[in-house]
């Protein structure tokens, strides 16, 4: 047996030493800086009398129609598979393949994996094993290390287990590097590393009815048995590239933002970045400071709201140290905020419990129908977008560039972004916006990008082209009862889960934050916690009752899937643009994220009380 795998003499359980070393000292970075210029942190007033009237609606419609069918992506396969290499860690630690058994096998060592480990061990489940594709913990915060990376949800509510860790983030919107290191600290403190197989990608998971076990196969030759499998491998995990003619011919350096190659020195270089989503919005201001010339290839502008970054104050640190439960209470208050923009702007007085509610709620004499509520929301969204568009005019000096940077779709239809240095970056002489609306970049050749007859020679090309949404690749490799894969089931019957956590025919399989998984708020950690708590409840219930198998019945699953479909359809006008949230306009209603709000809790509570949806063996 190699050193990488040993047996704990006390428990007899295998322990692992597979955390990879750090590959490069060049890995460094910072998140949002604090911006002092008040003008950059102040929104123009809401335009008086702005209404989402027929003319404005028509403008949005045209903006959308022009982009229909423009989303064309490819996976990082074949000659592009090199863009998937782990550039952050040393080579995998050699180890022998495993064919033994554990009670619980978890896929993924991000926030969900770490939280699962903490809570499962607290509840007495010790025989838990993790498989992680990367060389260390952190999940999204392991892979995404681009300059400027930071959390958009305030860190005091976002980072899990702050009190258990005795940790207070240094900034309100903590940088990604701090978050990654925090994940490592959690793993060290709670003894996670000994239970995780790093650089190990699960590639097949088969259910065996006779033994009531899953067999989990990996790219390291493992064929491990597990009674329960928990998928905690994220929702924006698999990077994608835009399909652009000639992209394989580019002669310079190229990489995807989720595999940032710090061996490529960008100083003084001609750099192109394709895409202007949440990632690019954070990276561009930092790139602008170091590269020679920066070409930003934009197809659709993001909405750029105020960030107002700040450092954690000494007063907060002192107060929180003496206030047991501060982080939990803060997260609970955060979860009560019902509007995305309000949540992301994160009012400190409210979150600290100093004021009961920071926004006067209007009292309506009549109860609004669901449709009327959506309409009201669209009107509000229009006024927010007017402010956001006015901010572009107030900051960006060149009128043509300013016009191109204005988004025309409902607020929140695409992931809203927050930055106080992004728009000013376009006033720099070395930053050039190349407007490729509405269809995107046409061609790439050996020298760089070619668009509408103009050549943009580049030394480095960065793909900020995003990730597959809610399409974790493991879904097509999970084979449940009767030899049916999860993907096949969902393709033939439509996406069907119960609470997003179970799928009928796949016993003892739990999905954390997958399609149809509700219960969260604008803080993703919230959903993860809800799901982890649910799984813990289920496993504890089974242990107490001597139950070894759980599946969900087909009827409650059908009822829940129909509910997801209705909730999605009802709120679809809020996502009436080309966005990955609606599969770029092609997803079946209810097949991706959950839009039923608090209803999820009602389904869950009823199920936990009656146990009716479950088939226990
Ligand atoms: P996105 O999918 O949001 O963005 C991809 C970008 O690539 C879009 O701007 C898209 O344009 C553009 N694009 C695609 N093809 C072409 C083409 N042919 N020519 C020009 N442009 C093209 O990916 P991101 O990585 O930016 O963000 C993914 C998600 O990750 C976010 O939505 C967010 O949920 C999360 N995230 C969170 C952060 C945080 O909390 N701080 C930070 C960063 C990311 P178009 O819009 O027209 O399709």
């Amino acid at each position: 047996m190699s050193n990488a795998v040993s047996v704990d003499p006390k428990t007899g359980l295998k322990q692992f030493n597979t955390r990879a070393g750090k590959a490069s000292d060049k890995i460094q970075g910072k998140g949002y800086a604090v911006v002092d210029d008040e003008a950059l942190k102040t929104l123009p007033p809401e335009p008086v009398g702005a209404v989402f009237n027929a003319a404005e609606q028509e403008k949005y419609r045209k903006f959308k129609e022009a982009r229909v069918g423009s989303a064309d992506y490819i996976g990082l396969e074949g000659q592009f598979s090199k863009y998937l290499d782990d550039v952050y860690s040393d080579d995998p630690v050699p180890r022998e393949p495993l064919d033994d058994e554990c009670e619980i096998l978890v896929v993924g060592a991000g926030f969900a994996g770490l939280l699962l480990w903490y809570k499962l061990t607290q509840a007495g489940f010790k025989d838990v094993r993790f498989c992680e594709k990367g060389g260390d913990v952190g999940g999204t915060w392991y892979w995404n290390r681009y300059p400027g990376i930071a959390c958009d949800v305030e860190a005091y509510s976002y980072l899990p287990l702050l009190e258990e860790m005795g940790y207070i983030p240094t900034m309100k919107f903590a940088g990604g590097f701090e978050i990654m290191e925090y994940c490592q600290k959690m793993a060290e403190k709670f003894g996670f590393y000994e239970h995780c197989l790093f650089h190990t990608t699960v590639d097949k998971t088969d259910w065996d009815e006779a033994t009531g076990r899953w067999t989990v196969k990996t790219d390291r030759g493992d064929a491990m048995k597990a009674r329960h499998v928990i998928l905690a491998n994220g929702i924006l995990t698999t990077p994608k590239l835009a399909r652009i003619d000639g992209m394989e011919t580019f002669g310079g350096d190229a990489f995807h933002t989720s595999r940032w190659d710090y061996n490529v020195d960008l100083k003084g270089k001609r750099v192109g970045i394709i895409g202007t989503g949440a990632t690019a919005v954070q990276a561009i201001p930092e790139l602008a400071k170091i590269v020679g010339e920066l070409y930003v290839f934009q197809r659709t502008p993001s909405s750029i709201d105020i960030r107002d970054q700040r450092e954690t104050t000494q007063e907060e640190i002192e107060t929180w140290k003496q206030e047991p439960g501060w982080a939990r209470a803060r997260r609970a208050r955060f979860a009560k905020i019902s509007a995305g923009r309000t949540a992301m702007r994160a009012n400190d007085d409210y979150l600290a419990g100093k004021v009961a509610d920071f926004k006067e709620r209007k009292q309506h004499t009549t109860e609004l129908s669901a449709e009327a509520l959506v309409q009201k929301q669209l009107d509000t969204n229009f006024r927010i977008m007017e402010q956001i568009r006015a901010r572009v005019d107030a900051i960006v000096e060149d009128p043509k560039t300013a016009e191109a940077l204005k988004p025309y779709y409902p607020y929140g239809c695409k992931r809203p972004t927050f930055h106080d240095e992004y728009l000013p970056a376009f006033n720099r002489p070395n930053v050039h916006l190349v407007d490729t609306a509405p269809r995107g970049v046409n061609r790439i050749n050996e020298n760089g990008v070619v668009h509408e007859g103009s050549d943009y020679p580049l030394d480095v090309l960065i793909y900020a082209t995003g990730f597959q949404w809610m399409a974790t690749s493991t879904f097509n490799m999970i084979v449940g009862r009767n030899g049916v894969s999860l993907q096949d089931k969902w393709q033939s019957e439509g996406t069907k889960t119960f609470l997003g956590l179970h799928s009928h025919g796949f016993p003892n399989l739990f999905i954390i934050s997958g399609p149809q998984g509700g219960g969260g708020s604008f803080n993703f950690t919230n959903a993860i916690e809800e799901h982890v708590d649910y799984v813990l409840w289920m496993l504890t219930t089974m242990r107490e009752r001597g139950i070894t198998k759980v599946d969900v019945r087909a009827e409650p699953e059908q009822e829940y899937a129909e509910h997801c479909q209705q909730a999605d359809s009802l709120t679809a006008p809020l996502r009436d643009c080309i966005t990955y949230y609606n599969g770029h306009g092609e997803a079946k209603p209810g097949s991706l994220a959950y839009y039923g709000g608090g209803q999820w809790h009602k389904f869950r509570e009823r199920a936990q009380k009656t146990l009716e949806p479950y088939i226990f063996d």
Side-chain angles (χ1 to χ4, degrees):
M1 194 175 281
S2 71
N3 287 339
V5 185
S6 58
V7 176
D8 182 339
K10 274 196 241 139
T11 61
L13 297 173
K14 285 201 176 121
Q15 295 207 307
F16 311 117
N17 180 18
T18 62
R19 181 186 183 187
K22 215 189 206 180
S24 165
D25 289 334
K26 291 190 185 123
I27 294 172
Q28 47 174 278
K30 55 181 175 145
Y32 300 123
V34 175
V35 171
D36 294 323
D37 185 347
E38 283 302 320
L40 297 179
K41 300 190 290 183
T42 313
L43 276 175
E46 231 180 59
V48 181
V51 228
F52 193 37
N53 58 25
E56 299 294 348
Q57 288 173 25
E58 179 62 7
K59 203 166 181 179
Y60 277 28
R61 196 190 61 74
K62 281 196 176 140
F63 193 87
K64 175 190 164 185
E65 290 300 315
R67 286 165 173 80
V68 170
S70 66
D72 189 8
Y73 291 98
I74 52 172
L76 278 66
E77 284 152 10
Q79 59 190 310
F80 301 116
S81 61
K82 61 178 187 227
Y83 293 163
L84 276 179
D85 288 352
D86 183 351
V87 287
Y88 305 122
S89 294
D90 284 341
D91 288 343
V93 174
R95 67 168 175 85
E96 66 191 30
L98 295 165
D99 60 4
D100 58 346
E101 183 172 329
C102 61
E103 189 183 5
I104 303 167
L105 191 138
V106 183
V107 187
F111 273 15
L114 289 164
L115 206 54
L116 271 164
W117 170 245
Y118 176 79
K119 294 206 175 192
L120 284 169
T121 45
Q122 292 278 306
F125 294 96
K126 304 272 183 210
D127 190 7
V128 189
R129 182 172 296 178
F130 293 77
C131 290
E132 164 58 49
K133 193 194 293 182
D136 207 328
V137 293
T140 207
W141 301 105
Y142 174 86
W143 294 112
N144 290 285
R145 303 194 194 187
Y146 52 84
I149 185 166
C151 173
D152 266 349
V153 172
E154 67 137 23
Y156 318 125
S157 302
Y158 178 71
L159 295 188
L161 304 175
L162 280 177
E163 287 153 85
E164 293 79 352
M165 288 292 295
Y167 185 82
I168 293 177
T170 61
M171 310 279 277
K172 184 163 161 88
F173 301 99
F177 292 79
E178 180 177 343
I179 301 176
M180 180 184 67
E181 280 165 21
Y182 178 71
C183 289
Q184 293 171 346
K185 286 186 187 124
M186 281 196 281
E188 275 156 14
K189 180 159 177 162
F190 302 130
F192 179 89
Y193 282 115
E194 291 78 43
H195 295 264
C196 187
L197 296 164
F198 290 101
H199 279 144
T200 299
T201 303
V202 171
D203 47 30
K204 191 109 198 302
T205 308
D206 288 299
W207 174 251
D208 178 32
E209 193 63 46
T211 57
R213 298 287 188 280
W214 290 98
T215 302
V216 180
K217 295 189 177 158
T218 77
D219 65 346
R220 301 291 293 270
D222 306 305
M224 300 169 285
K225 304 238 179 317
R227 189 184 287 281
H228 302 280
V229 168
I230 307 176
L231 300 180
N233 41 343
I235 52 164
L236 283 161
T237 306
T238 314
K240 57 186 169 57
L241 295 173
R243 188 198 308 275
I244 301 169
D245 282 349
M247 57 199 288
E248 68 289 351
T249 63
F250 180 61
D253 290 306
F255 52 85
H256 186 275
T257 50
S258 66
R259 303 289 188 278
W260 197 274
D261 192 348
Y262 280 92
N263 291 314
V264 177
D265 186 1
L266 299 175
K267 242 180 257 132
K269 298 270 174 66
R270 295 169 304 176
V271 176
I273 182 163
I274 298 182
T276 48
T279 299
V281 166
Q282 294 187 331
I284 284 165
E286 296 304 319
L287 286 172
K289 292 173 196 168
I290 53 164
V291 305
E293 301 296 322
L294 181 64
Y295 295 89
V296 177
F297 298 98
Q298 173 190 272
R299 178 166 65 195
T300 311
S302 282
S303 61
I304 319 287
D305 213 331
I306 303 282
R307 173 69 304 159
D308 204 7
Q309 169 70 306
R310 66 171 178 81
E311 281 167 14
T312 307
T313 65
Q314 201 50 43
E315 192 195 331
E316 282 172 325
I317 296 171
E318 295 308 324
T319 312
W320 290 336
K321 273 188 191 156
Q322 293 162 30
E323 200 182 301
W326 73 269
R328 215 161 295 125
R330 193 167 174 111
R331 184 170 310 134
R333 283 186 211 107
F334 192 108
K336 285 202 184 124
I337 305 177
S338 59
R341 190 193 197 201
T342 321
M344 302 298 243
R345 298 279 298 278
N347 180 290
D348 280 305
D349 284 343
Y350 166 71
L351 290 172
K354 290 183 189 158
V355 293
D357 195 347
F358 57 96
K359 218 178 146 200
E360 283 280 305
R361 284 187 199 283
K362 287 190 194 123
Q363 291 299 321
H364 295 286
T365 41
T366 49
E367 191 128 313
L368 292 175
S369 69
E371 288 79 4
L373 269 175
V374 168
Q375 192 50 50
K376 218 168 124 31
Q377 180 79 58
L378 281 172
D379 288 337
T380 309
N381 286 356
F382 176 70
R383 285 193 293 276
I384 296 173
M385 289 302 267
E386 283 286 275
Q387 262 188 319
I388 278 168
R389 290 187 282 263
R391 185 186 190 210
V392 179
D393 279 331
I395 294 175
V396 179
E397 287 155 12
D398 173 49
K400 197 165 158 235
T401 306
E403 202 45 49
L405 284 167
K406 288 184 200 164
Y408 290 92
Y409 43 78
Y411 180 79
C413 184
K414 278 174 176 280
R415 167 66 152 71
T417 74
F418 304 81
H419 218 294
D420 303 331
E421 289 187 293
Y422 178 76
L423 293 172
F426 291 93
N427 293 335
R428 286 174 174 260
N430 68 330
V431 178
H432 317 280
L433 182 72
V434 184
D435 184 11
T436 68
R439 312 299 298 179
V441 169
N442 295 153
R443 259 180 67 72
I444 292 175
N445 66 17
E446 202 190 322
N447 301 320
V449 169
V450 183
H451 192 75
E452 305 291 348
S454 297
D455 284 303
Y456 301 91
L458 302 169
D459 303 308
V460 184
L461 183 54
I462 300 167
Y463 291 100
T465 45
F467 305 84
Q468 289 181 30
W469 171 239
M470 298 260 163
T472 307
S473 51
T474 42
F475 292 162
N476 60 355
M477 300 153 188
I478 294 171
V479 181
R481 284 187 164 137
N482 307 317
V484 178
S485 80
L486 197 54
Q487 178 134 308
D488 286 346
K489 172 183 165 178
W490 288 355
Q491 259 163 15
S492 63
E493 300 176 24
T495 304
K496 270 195 203 162
T497 72
F498 184 64
L499 301 171
L501 285 149
H502 304 260
S503 197
H504 173 67
F506 298 82
N508 294 4
L509 178 81
F510 303 96
I511 307 168
I512 307 287
S513 65
Q516 304 182 341
S521 68
F522 296 96
N523 178 6
F524 205 70
T525 306
N526 213 224
I528 290 175
E529 273 192 326
E530 296 277 3
H531 296 180
V532 166
D533 285 347
Y534 172 89
V535 171
L536 207 69
W537 163 80
M538 177 56 83
L539 293 176
T540 313
T541 305
M542 290 172 76
R543 184 174 60 188
E544 281 164 2
R545 295 170 180 235
I547 295 161
T548 54
K549 267 188 240 167
V550 60
D551 198 353
V552 279
R553 292 191 298 109
E555 299 78 17
E557 175 172 277
Q558 179 65 28
E559 186 197 350
Y560 181 73
E562 282 168 17
H563 156 70
C564 290
Q565 189 194 328
Q566 281 161 11
D568 191 354
S569 299
L570 192 68
T571 54
L574 300 169
R575 294 178 294 284
D576 191 17
C577 73
I578 304 299
T579 169
Y580 69 74
Y581 291 146
N582 60 20
H584 307 287
E586 284 169 15
K588 286 196 190 122
S591 64
L592 297 172
Y594 179 77
Y595 296 103
Q599 292 297 313
W600 183 86
H601 290 284
K602 293 195 178 140
F603 274 93
R604 174 184 58 75
E605 278 160 18
R606 209 181 316 136
Q608 289 180 313
K609 201 165 151 205
T610 64
L611 301 183
E612 267 171 15
Y614 308 110
I615 309 163
F616 288 125
D617 279 324

